[in-house]
Amino acid sequence: MSAVVELRGLRKAFRGHLGLGRTVAVDGLDLTVASGEIFGLLGPNGAGKTTTLKMMLGLLRPDGGTVRLFGLPPQDVAARARLGFLPENPYFYDYLTPVEFLDLYARLHGVPAAERKTRIAKAIERVGLAGRERTALRKFSKGMIQRLGLAQAIQHEPELVILDEPMSGLDPVGRREVRDLILGLRAAGKTVFFSSHILQDAEMLCDRVAIVFKGRLRAVGRLDDLVSHDAKWIEVGVRGAVPPGLPGETTTAPDGTVRVKVDDVGGLARVLAEVPAAGGEVVSVWPRRETLEDLFLREIGAARREERAP
Amino acid sequence: MRAVVAIALNTFREAIRDRILYLILGVALGLIAISRFVSLLTVGSEVKIVKDLGLSAISVFGLLATVFVGVSLVSKEIERRTIFTLLAQPVRRWQFVCGKYAGLLLVLAASNAVSGTALLVAVALKGASPWGLVPAIVMIFVELALLAAFAVLFSSFTNPILAAVGTTVTYVVGHLSWSFDLLEKRMPGAAGRALCRVLHAVLPNLDRLNIKAEVVHDVALPAGYLGAAIAYGVCYALVVLIIASLVFERREFV
Amino acid sequence: MRRVTTIALLVLAALGAGLARARIVHIEDARRGRKELLYLPNGKYLKAISLGHAPLMADALYLWAIQYYSDYDQADRYRFVEHVFGDVVAELDPRYTDPYWLGAIILTTEANDLEAGLRLLDEGFAKNPEEWILPYLAGWECDRAGQFDRAAAYFDRAAKAPGAPPALFRLKAGMTALGGNLREAIARWEDVLNDPRNDDAARAIATRQIRTLTVRADLRDLEAAIAAFRSTNGRPPRRLEELVPAGLLPRLPVDPDGRAYAYDPARGSVSSTAARVLGS
C-alpha cells in the first residue's frame, strides 16, 4: 500500500526580525504515514510541529526536501481535495451560522447541491452540535468552535484528516468525544495525522508516533515498539528516614515523599527490608511500565544534553 | 469557478453583517436627505446643490466602505486563521483572491444601488429629471471597483492599517495624476519630463473616471467617452487583481 | 464623599469652559469691525485639493459667500467679490452660472462697480456660450447705467446665443433707439419684422416702433434743417418745401401714412399728425 503522507528531508528556516538572525524550525525531517493508521506527531512547544503541518498543506514552502500527499505535492489541487484539515486554536467567521460556514466548505469541495444539506446535517450531528445550527458563531464557546472545526474537516469524507492540536481547549468530555471520533475515522478506513503535546491522548490513539525536538526527529515507529508494555520498574514511596545505598534512583516528590525506582522484585525486597530498619515507612508500591511520557522526557533530555555538549 | 462564487458569497455575507457598513451608508443617506435643506440656502439653482452633495457623498462614502471592508479582507482571514482551512481546500490561490474581490464588489454594488436610488429620488422630489445622474453613479462604481482592486492588493501582503493608508494614497494620487501632466511642461531636464510622462501614464487616472461636473450641468459627453472610461477602469482593475493574485501565490503563512 | 467631589469637579470644569467660551466670543465680537477679509487661493489650487469633488467645493464656497455678503456689518467687504466669484468659484466649476450673475448683481448694485460686474458676466458667457441670460443681464445693467450702445451690443450677443428667445432682438433694437441712433434702430426693427420666428404680436410692436422712430427721425432731420436755414437766413422758412432747394434736405419726408408733416411758420416748429405713433 502506497504511503498517504511522505516527507523526505524536510527543511525550513525563518529569518529573524528585520532580516537579522535565523531560526531553524524544521531540520531534515523524514517520515511516512501509511493508509488507515493514526499517526501522532509529538513534541514540545516550538519543536516545529505546526511548521511541518503547514508545509504539508502548502501554506509554507520548504527550504529543502519534499512533501507528497497521495504521491502528489500539496500545491496540487487534486491532493488537497482528498484531505481535511483543522488548524490549531481556530476562530471562524463571526457573523455566520454553522450551517452557512459548513456550506461554504462543502461548496469549495464541490459537493453537489443535493447532497450538501444531508452531509452538513450529518457532520453537525457527529460532532455533537445538533440544535445549534442557527446560532451565530460569535456566540460559540471554544469547545464548540473546535467541534465545528472538526465538522468542517470531516464533512466531505476525506481519506486523510490532518489535525493540529485537536484536543486543545476541550474539557475531558470533549476530549473523550474527539478521541472516539478519531477512532471512528480509523474504523471507517481513513488515515489520521495529528500533532499534539498531550501524550496521554497519543498513547490511547496512535498506531505510530514521531517525536520531534527542535525540528529534528528523535524517535519514530510503532507505539508498541517504542514503549514496552512489560512492567519496567517498581516505584516505592518512602516517608521518614531514608537509608542511603538503596538499589535505585531516588527522587523527592513535592509532598516530601521520596520515590525510589527499583528495577525488579529483588530490589523491591531490599527496600522493604531496609527502610523500616532505618526507621522509615513504605507508603506505596507501584509497578510502572514505561509510558510515552517517560520516553518523551528521556529523548528530550538527551537532546538537550547533546546540545550543551557538542 | 464555483470556488470563486462560493468565496464571493461568503465574503459578501460576512461583510453585509458588519455594522460599520450600515453606519457609513447611513451617513451617506443622511447627507442626501440634508442636501434638500442645504439647497434652500442658495441663490439660484437649488437642485445643483442636491446633485453635487449627493454624488460626492456616494463617492466619498463608497471610498470609506471600500477601505473599511477591503483592507481587512485578507488580513482578517489570517488573523482568524480561517485562511488556513480555506487554503487547505482544493482552491487555487488566485480563486481565493478573485472570490474576495467579487464579494467586495457585490457589497459596493449593493451600497451604491441604495445610495444612488436615494439620490435619484431626492432629485426627482426637487422637480428635476434624475436620469441624467445615472452615468455618474455608474462611473463612481467603476472608480470604486478600481480602488477595491488596490485594497485587495494591499490586503494580500500587509496589515490592515498599511493597506488602508495605501488605498487612500492611491485615491489621492489618482486624483492628482493630471498634475503630472502640468508638471511635465515645467520640468527643466529631459529625464524629469520623461519621468512625469511615465508617471502620468502609469498611475491610475481617477480623474478621467470623474464625470460629476458634466452630468450635473447636463453637458453631453463626447461620443465613446463613457465606453472608453469604463473599459479603462475595468482593464486597470484586472491588472491590479492579477498582480494581487501573483503576490498571494507566493505568500507564506507562518 | 468621593462622589460629591467628582460632581463638584465636573460642574466647576463645565463652568470654566463656559466662561472661557463667553470671553472668547466677546473678544471676537469686539474685533468684528476689523475682521480679516477672506483670502482664498486661486481656484486651481483648490481644485487640486478637492480630489475630484470640485463642483461640491464650488457649491460650498458659493453658499458661504452668499452668507458672507449678506452680512451688512462688514465695512470693506466688496474688495474680493470678483476674486471669489470669478477666480475661485468659477475655476472650480466654470459651468456654474449662478455665481456669475449673483456676483455681478452684488458688484453693480451694492458696490457700484459696473465694470467689474460686466467683467464677471463676460467671463461667464465666455465659458458658457449657451447661457444667454448672462449677456442679457449685462445689457440690462448697461441700460440702467445709461450706456445704451453697450446695452445694444450685449442684447445682440444674447439674442444670438442658442436657445435665446427672439424677443431679445427687440430689446436690442430698443436700446439702439435709446442710444440715439434712430436710423440704425429702424433697421433693427425691420429685422424683427422680417424674422420668421416672431409672432403677430411681436410684428405689431415692430411696426409701431418703426412708425414712431421714422416720425421722430424725420422730425429731427426737419428740425435740424430748419435750424440751419434760420441761422443762414435769419428767419425760419415760410414753407417746408423751401428747405429742399436750399440744399438742406435731399427731399421732403412724409409721414408713414404718406401725409406731409405739419409746419408752423410763425414758430418754426414741425409736428406730426400720424396716427398709431407712440407718444403722440
Side-chain angles (χ1 to χ4, degrees), chain C residues 18-199:
Chain C
L19 284 172
R21 186 185 170 280
R23 179 109 188 94
I24 292 176
V25 169
H26 179 74
I27 294 174
E28 272 188 348
D29 280 344
R31 267 186 47 193
R32 233 161 196 266
R34 292 176 292 112
K35 194 155 113 171
E36 287 289 305
L37 269 180
L38 78 161
Y39 169 72
L40 287 172
N42 188 288
K44 282 199 180 63
Y45 306 123
L46 286 179
K47 195 166 184 182
I49 296 176
S50 70
L51 296 177
H53 297 279
L56 184 65
M57 197 174 260
D59 288 347
L61 281 172
Y62 180 60
L63 288 176
W64 177 86
I66 291 172
Q67 298 306 314
Y68 183 83
Y69 287 109
S70 315
D71 179 8
Y72 293 106
D73 287 340
Q74 279 287 36
D76 193 9
R77 58 204 187 106
Y78 299 116
R79 223 181 334 147
F80 292 115
V81 174
E82 202 181 341
H83 173 66
V84 171
F85 288 103
D87 290 334
V88 183
V89 176
E91 192 66 43
L92 283 172
D93 193 355
R95 284 182 276 237
Y96 194 10
T97 9
D98 298 337
Y100 297 119
W101 57 256
L102 185 65
I105 288 180
I106 293 175
L107 284 166
T108 53
T109 314
E110 301 194 24
N112 289 316
D113 189 348
L114 177 68
E115 294 307 317
L118 291 178
R119 276 198 297 272
L120 210 47
L121 290 169
D122 287 341
E123 183 188 343
F125 191 56
K127 296 194 174 142
N128 297 281
E130 352 63 60
E131 291 288 340
W132 58 264
I133 195 84
L134 296 170
Y136 168 79
L137 194 59
W140 190 83
E141 291 291 348
C142 288
D143 175 25
R144 246 172 33 117
Q147 298 184 27
F148 301 116
D149 292 330
R150 269 171 113 185
Y154 273 120
F155 284 129
D156 181 50
R157 235 185 286 167
K160 296 203 172 110
L168 291 180
F169 280 110
R170 306 206 305 263
L171 276 173
K172 174 177 171 230
M175 286 299 122
T176 314
L178 284 172
N181 195 337
L182 298 177
R183 294 289 169 198
E184 179 73 30
I186 293 171
R188 298 284 75 76
W189 279 112
E190 277 164 1
D191 289 339
V192 172
L193 198 59
N194 298 330
D195 192 335
R197 289 178 296 174
N198 284 319
D199 57 6

Side-chain angles (χ1 to χ4, degrees), chain B residues 2-22:
Chain B
R2 55 176 161 78
V4 173
V5 171
I7 294 177
L9 285 176
N10 180 53
T11 308
F12 178 72
R13 234 184 255 154
E14 176 80 1
I16 210 77
R17 294 183 194 178
D18 193 349
R19 250 167 293 184
I20 192 106
L21 196 64
Y22 294 103

